[in-house]
Amino acid sequence: SIPNRRDGSSARAVLRLYEYFNSTGGAYCLIETNYARPVPGPDSVHTVIGPVLQELVQTYSGAHAVTVRIRLARTADTLEVVHDIEHILLGTELAARWETDLDTNGTLHTDDSGLEMHKRGLDPTLPVSGNYHAMVQSAYIRDRGDFEPRQLSVLTSHTMGVASLGAGQLEY
């Protein structure tokens, strides 16, 4: 779970890697009709807890060579997540998916221009690729709870696709 240091609440959140198999897609083009499958692993998990920083390192070394680092500084209110990708299997696309206990009702907010946020709803009549949206700088999902709403935000250093394909999910 991820603790909120301000009010003591927490949210259950798990980061998993998924893979889409495609034959017609390409660079900057996700053409998917089927949902992703979980990537097996990780092969190893290491945790470092120090006086300034906590870090969790997951290493995948099967068909994909990927290292995921999740860092939390003692004084920070944010997690830093770094994906180091050495190689992926030809014909696949990798997606990182946050699975949370937030009651989002399939709603996602994205910035497609870097200027303003747009509310996006899940459209089950569209294929997977039709529910992906551009994320220029950020995206978030927000809890619909009666109390203080909880939110999971993702900030990125480069434009990528983002989707919320299920309640409490955010994948990029």
Side-chain angles (χ1 to χ4, degrees):
S1 68
I2 300 174
N4 182 331
R5 293 184 180 164
R6 291 186 198 135
D7 65 9
S9 66
S10 66
R12 184 191 63 77
V14 176
L15 179 63
R16 292 193 170 96
L17 292 183
Y18 284 79
E19 56 191 348
Y20 289 99
F21 293 92
N22 62 44
S23 58
T24 58
Y28 309 108
C29 184
L30 177 67
I31 302 173
E32 293 301 331
T33 55
N34 297 317
Y35 286 93
R37 295 190 323 208
V39 172
D43 298 313
S44 67
V45 177
H46 299 284
T47 304
V48 177
I49 299 175
V52 176
L53 180 76
Q54 296 178 32
E55 181 178 55
L56 175 72
V57 180
Q58 300 174 323
T59 304
Y60 298 82
S61 59
H64 311 289
V66 179
T67 301
V68 179
R69 297 178 183 280
I70 302 173
R71 298 180 182 125
L72 174 64
R74 292 269 185 220
T75 58
D77 289 333
T78 60
L79 291 175
E80 177 186 16
V81 179
V82 178
H83 304 276
D84 294 322
I85 301 173
E86 291 182 32
H87 74 270
I88 61 173
L89 189 63
L90 187 63
T92 63
E93 298 286 339
L94 285 182
R97 180 184 298 167
W98 284 100
E99 299 170 350
T100 72
D101 62 352
L102 301 180
D103 181 14
T104 61
N105 196 31
T107 301
L108 168 72
H109 295 82
T110 67
D111 70 329
D112 62 1
S113 64
L115 297 174
E116 60 185 342
M117 301 303 283
H118 296 278
K119 185 176 180 179
R120 315 285 189 174
L122 178 64
D123 186 343
T125 64
L126 293 176
V128 170
S129 57
N131 283 295
Y132 258 80
H133 305 281
M135 175 175 57
V136 176
Q137 294 176 339
S138 62
Y140 69 86
I141 55 175
R142 181 177 286 163
D143 193 36
R144 298 182 314 153
D146 295 333
F147 303 105
E148 188 71 26
R150 299 174 301 157
Q151 177 174 309
L152 174 72
S153 300
V154 173
L155 307 175
T156 182
S157 61
H158 59 278
T159 301
M160 60 177 65
V162 65
S164 181
L165 302 175
Q169 294 181 356
L170 189 145
E171 76 175 51
Y172 52 91

